[in-house]
Amino acid sequence: MKLLSLFCLLSLAIISCNQGPKHPQADLVNARIGTPMTEATILFYADSIDATLNTYEKNVSLVYQLGEATMRVEKYSLNGKPVLFSEFKNDEGISNGIKKYYFKNDSLILLNEGAKVTKDGTDIFEDRRIYLRNNIPFTEEYRSSASLSALKSERFQLKKKTISSQTKEYSNDIKSLNDAVNGADKFDLVFDNIISTPGESHILLKSKLPDGYTASISVQTPDAYVDSLLKDPLAFKGEKLNIKWEVKDKEAVYVPVAANVTSANGLKR
């Protein structure tokens, strides 16, 4: 009997060692709860995602511009599956805000939206939360105030359910967020020009569609790729550039190509 117990303990130890480390939120993201999630459990889940954002895979879009309005998207994933999209929008002098889409097991469970809207010269701050089950809204609540500090002390109020709110389809919104991150569809931009100023250059991109989105990428550290663009921009006009960027202070910043690449001629465009 003692020999059998020792064998079982050794077996459990081997299994435990073979499992290896996993993402700290893996159990929370992948767990299948027997009972439907409530507003409280959804908020707890969203807070846990926010608290561990730096542990997820992160992809960011360009900062897209259409007229005076700008937008950008951040995507956070675990094992290739999205857990959060953050969409930032700013329409100068009119509104600016953020929408956060939280996912669990590939299903949208919460849309959390905060915005500052200017009407007749007066700022109004708004928060809105939409809770979903099986991608279908079941509760919507909101609050508003004349100042951000006062907004945080306001209680959320339930919004009356309507047919349109209960049948709202978010699949197109989610596709648009993915397209923004991937540079696809209406966010598929090509090289237009490069402007050089003392100490800095800007790569200008434009949509293939008439009157579509544009974007600018700040070049703070030039390299051979940028030198090729500056030398002969017409050779790249209308081409999709295979370049990387990061977003700093709400601006897309160029990430230099590896030093062993000598020019843009040999790079995939």
Side-chain angles (χ1 to χ4, degrees):
M1 179 64 70
K2 291 182 178 179
L3 182 60
L4 180 59
S5 298
L6 179 60
F7 176 78
C8 291
L9 288 173
L10 287 173
S11 299
L12 289 173
I14 292 172
I15 292 172
S16 177
C17 290
N18 287 339
Q19 286 179 340
K22 61 181 179 180
H23 190 280
Q25 295 296 103
D27 290 336
L28 186 61
V29 172
N30 296 321
R32 295 190 177 276
I33 301 175
T35 56
M37 296 183 76
T38 64
E39 292 90 338
T41 56
I42 288 175
L43 287 178
F44 177 80
Y45 173 83
D47 287 343
S48 70
I49 297 298
D50 290 337
T52 55
L53 278 185
N54 62 343
T55 64
Y56 294 101
E57 177 188 352
K58 180 181 178 180
N59 297 99
V60 298
S61 76
L62 289 166
V63 181
Y64 298 100
Q65 184 165 352
L66 190 62
E68 296 299 318
T70 62
M71 66 89 68
R72 62 185 176 91
V73 177
E74 296 176 353
K75 179 181 180 180
Y76 297 87
S77 305
L78 175 62
N79 297 326
K81 295 183 178 181
V83 294
L84 171 65
F85 281 100
S86 295
E87 180 185 22
F88 303 85
K89 285 188 173 183
N90 180 51
D91 196 347
E92 196 65 37
I94 299 176
S95 67
N96 68 74
I98 176 175
K99 289 184 180 180
K100 303 178 77 173
Y101 299 74
Y102 295 87
F103 294 79
K104 181 174 172 57
N105 298 323
D106 283 335
S107 292
L108 179 63
I109 62 170
L110 175 65
L111 170 56
N112 196 346
E113 181 178 2
K116 183 182 81 170
V117 181
T118 302
K119 297 179 179 178
D120 299 325
T122 302
D123 292 337
I124 300 175
F125 294 84
E126 302 174 338
D127 275 344
R128 183 171 66 128
R129 298 194 296 219
I130 300 175
Y131 304 85
L132 303 96
R133 295 193 190 105
N134 300 317
N135 295 306
I136 299 175
F138 68 89
T139 298
E140 181 175 350
E141 55 188 12
Y142 72 99
R143 62 185 180 182
S144 64
S145 181
S147 70
L148 184 59
S149 58
L151 179 70
K152 299 305 179 183
S153 61
E154 289 285 337
R155 295 178 63 87
F156 277 92
Q157 304 293 322
L158 285 177
K159 188 171 182 179
K160 185 178 179 181
K161 295 181 179 179
T162 64
I163 294 178
S164 60
S165 66
Q166 295 299 292
T167 57
K168 165 68 176 175
E169 176 58 60
Y170 291 94
S171 59
N172 288 335
D173 295 343
I174 296 168
K175 178 185 181 302
S176 182
L177 295 172
N178 269 309
D179 286 345
V181 172
N182 297 327
D185 201 5
K186 63 183 178 181
F187 299 102
D188 185 9
L189 306 189
V190 295
F191 178 74
D192 185 36
N193 202 357
I194 182 167
I195 299 176
S196 181
T197 58
E200 189 176 16
S201 299
H202 284 85
I203 298 173
L204 306 182
L205 307 175
K206 67 176 183 179
S207 173
K208 294 180 179 180
L209 304 175
D211 301 319
Y213 283 102
T214 61
S216 173
I217 303 176
S218 172
V219 180
Q220 300 174 1
T221 307
D223 59 6
Y225 196 116
V226 173
D227 289 343
S228 296
L229 294 176
L230 287 167
K231 183 179 179 180
D232 190 5
L234 288 178
F236 296 88
K237 194 173 182 67
E239 297 285 345
K240 189 174 181 66
L241 302 183
N242 183 25
I243 57 179
K244 295 182 179 180
W245 63 86
E246 56 187 349
V247 175
K248 294 181 179 179
D249 298 326
K250 303 178 183 179
E251 181 181 35
V253 178
Y254 176 75
V255 175
V257 178
N260 61 340
V261 178
T262 58
S263 74
N265 294 331
L267 295 173
K268 179 181 178 183
R269 291 187 264 163

